Amino acid sequence: MLISPLMGPIMGIGLGIGINDLMMIQQALKNLSIAVFISLLTSTIYFLISPLHIAQSELLARTSPTVWDAFIAFFGGLAGIVAGSRRDKITNVVPGVAIATALMPPICTAGYGLASGNLYYFAGAFYLFLINSVCISLATFLIVRFLDYQQKEYPTPEVERRVRNTIWVAVLIVVVPSSYLGYQIVRKTIFEQNAKRFVANEFNFDNRQLVSYTARYNRHQSILELSLVGEPLQKDSINLLRAKLLPYGLADAQLVVKQGSFKDAEIDVDALKNTVTDQVIKYSQSSIARKDHIIDSLRRYIDLTQSAHISVPDLRNELKTLMPDVQTFTAAQSLVMNRNSTRPDTVMLVYARFSRKHTQAERQRIEKWLQSRTKSKRIKLLVE
């Protein structure tokens, strides 16, 4: 992709069309054909002799072209021709465009299709290459016309008309099928998302477990298949589930419920094992988290109680110096519960009995002294 052997001929075709240079178009087509043949031959031979024969995501991603691939190639071609038309040629845009539009990967995927005998892979990947090639050429043509390059004259008006018709046919071949494929992909994605929301929100029956579900999109009849274990769902419950498909945009989908024994329900045992294992792990993690929370709360309470430990006799003697009329005194850390909260609040509860009634200012002075002496921010003073 870095050397981009296909980029130059493709942009040469667009440039030749833009300046009406038939010789350049023919030479670019010849160079492109040679580059495509060599690239396709190389990739086919590689996959024939390679021990790796499983199609990974990098290959599968280039077997279903859509209209978004056309947009990516078009704007990549714009960047490429703008960079190529600059007087200052020192730039990294062209290699970047070659990578972004991915001219070589589709050819390599097409070679994999030939080597494995999978014509679907070959057709999809080669069509993606055509999309990229036509869109890059079209972008080059538009920029050349916009920059007003000096144009040559066609030999005859018939040749000019033939070239123009060829351009429009190539654009239609790229845009129409890719737009349809993109529309189907959007519908499939929406169907799968709606099916996921339906299963998450509506399947809340007791004494039965949803092992797995499969959402198979089809433009004629989509299918949502549920695999259950546990007590069988009654027919009324299944009909109720079918009635709830409409609000989720699944009115045209067929709901299939497989339940009963493993043999009757055709349930994947491995999927069941994975589901049960996941549930056990989640329950264990939740239980451990709850216990850790309780332990942390108790540890904080113990630390707080120990740090706030006070000597009641010492406080009484000091308070007796401050207020000689004190008769009875006690202090302790207490937990106070609020009706709107489940977390207890820690308060220093102080009870004092005096031989005379104190003013509000005197009580406030006692509270401030207690806060300073006990290092407690919250003091509750009860006075008799």
Side-chain angles (χ1 to χ4, degrees):
M1 289 189 294
L2 290 174
I3 60 175
S4 186
L6 304 173
M7 194 74 176
I10 292 174
M11 295 183 67
I13 295 174
L15 177 61
I17 297 174
I19 63 176
N20 302 333
D21 192 337
L22 288 179
M23 292 295 295
M24 180 179 292
I25 297 174
Q26 293 173 357
Q27 186 63 37
L29 286 173
K30 178 182 176 181
N31 293 339
L32 179 62
S33 300
I34 295 174
V36 169
F37 174 77
I38 294 176
S39 302
L40 192 60
L41 180 64
T42 303
S43 61
T44 303
I45 294 176
Y46 169 80
F47 284 111
L48 282 174
I49 64 177
S50 173
L52 304 176
H53 300 290
I54 299 177
Q56 302 295 335
S57 58
E58 290 80 4
L59 293 174
L60 296 177
R62 293 173 174 88
T63 58
S64 300
T66 65
V67 68
W68 292 284
D69 296 303
F71 288 147
I72 293 173
F74 178 77
F75 289 109
L78 287 179
I81 185 58
V82 168
S85 61
R86 294 177 55 188
R87 293 183 179 179
D88 181 10
K89 301 296 183 181
I90 303 176
T91 176
N92 292 326
V93 175
V94 173
V97 170
I99 297 173
T101 55
L103 291 169
M104 286 304 296
I107 291 295
C108 295
T109 304
Y112 171 81
L114 289 178
S116 61
N118 193 323
L119 295 181
Y120 173 79
Y121 284 179
F122 171 78
F126 199 79
Y127 179 57
L128 176 59
F129 169 74
L130 291 179
I131 289 177
N132 292 338
S133 301
V134 172
C135 288
I136 293 173
S137 297
L138 178 62
T140 303
F141 166 76
L142 294 177
I143 293 298
V144 166
R145 288 297 176 91
F146 175 77
L147 296 178
D148 198 19
Y149 276 46
Q150 184 178 359
Q151 300 181 15
K152 296 183 178 180
E153 295 291 336
Y154 283 109
T156 62
E158 181 181 355
V159 174
E160 181 179 1
R161 184 170 56 254
R162 189 186 310 128
V163 172
R164 187 181 299 111
N165 292 337
T166 302
I167 295 174
W168 281 111
V169 169
V171 171
L172 291 176
I173 290 175
V174 167
V175 173
V176 174
S178 62
S179 299
Y180 175 75
L181 292 173
Y183 172 72
Q184 293 299 328
I185 289 177
V186 170
R187 290 189 59 185
K188 178 182 178 182
T189 303
I190 294 176
F191 170 75
E192 292 175 349
Q193 291 177 347
N194 292 340
K196 183 178 181 180
R197 288 194 301 113
F198 171 78
V199 172
N201 297 336
E202 301 298 338
F203 193 85
N204 52 6
F205 299 99
D206 297 331
N207 301 324
R208 53 189 59 85
Q209 175 66 44
L210 176 66
V211 177
S212 63
Y213 77 93
T214 304
R216 291 195 294 268
Y217 170 77
N218 188 284
R219 66 176 184 270
H220 300 299
Q221 179 69 70
S222 300
I223 298 176
L224 175 58
E225 184 178 291
L226 306 178
S227 297
L228 314 177
V229 292
E231 294 183 5
L233 276 179
Q234 301 300 321
K235 187 174 182 181
D236 293 341
S237 299
I238 296 177
N239 292 335
L240 180 61
L241 284 175
R242 291 195 175 102
K244 293 181 179 180
L245 290 174
L246 180 60
Y248 293 90
L250 303 172
D252 298 331
Q254 178 184 359
L255 181 63
V256 178
V257 179
K258 293 185 175 182
Q259 55 184 335
S261 64
F262 292 107
K263 181 177 180 181
D264 296 334
E266 299 178 1
I267 294 174
D268 188 355
V269 177
D270 292 334
L272 177 60
K273 290 180 180 179
N274 293 335
T275 302
V276 174
T277 302
D278 291 342
Q279 289 183 348
V280 171
I281 292 175
K282 289 180 180 178
Y283 176 79
S284 301
Q285 291 176 344
S286 177
S287 178
I288 293 173
R290 289 195 302 269
K291 293 179 180 179
D292 288 343
H293 178 71
I294 295 174
I295 293 173
D296 291 339
S297 300
L298 294 174
R299 183 180 291 114
R300 286 195 299 269
Y301 175 72
I302 293 174
D303 293 341
L304 181 62
T305 303
Q306 291 178 348
S307 62
H309 179 70
I310 57 176
S311 175
V312 175
D314 293 342
L315 283 178
R316 183 202 59 186
N317 294 333
E318 294 178 16
L319 182 60
K320 189 175 180 180
T321 302
L322 183 65
M323 295 287 179
D325 56 340
V326 62
Q327 293 182 345
T328 304
F329 176 84
T330 186
Q333 289 282 356
S334 301
L335 295 179
V336 178
M337 297 296 298
N338 191 310
R339 67 176 184 177
N340 298 324
S341 175
T342 58
R343 291 188 62 183
D345 195 6
T346 304
V347 176
M348 174 66 72
L349 189 62
V350 178
Y351 169 79
R353 186 178 179 183
F354 298 91
S355 60
R356 67 179 178 85
K357 187 175 181 180
H358 289 95
T359 63
Q360 186 65 27
E362 288 177 325
R363 294 184 59 175
Q364 290 179 356
R365 186 174 62 175
I366 295 174
E367 290 181 352
K368 290 182 178 178
W369 173 78
L370 288 171
Q371 288 178 352
S372 176
R373 178 62 177 80
T374 63
K375 303 296 189 296
S376 297
K377 295 183 179 179
R378 300 196 60 183
I379 298 291
K380 182 65 176 177
L381 177 62
L382 302 177
V383 178
E384 285 191 10

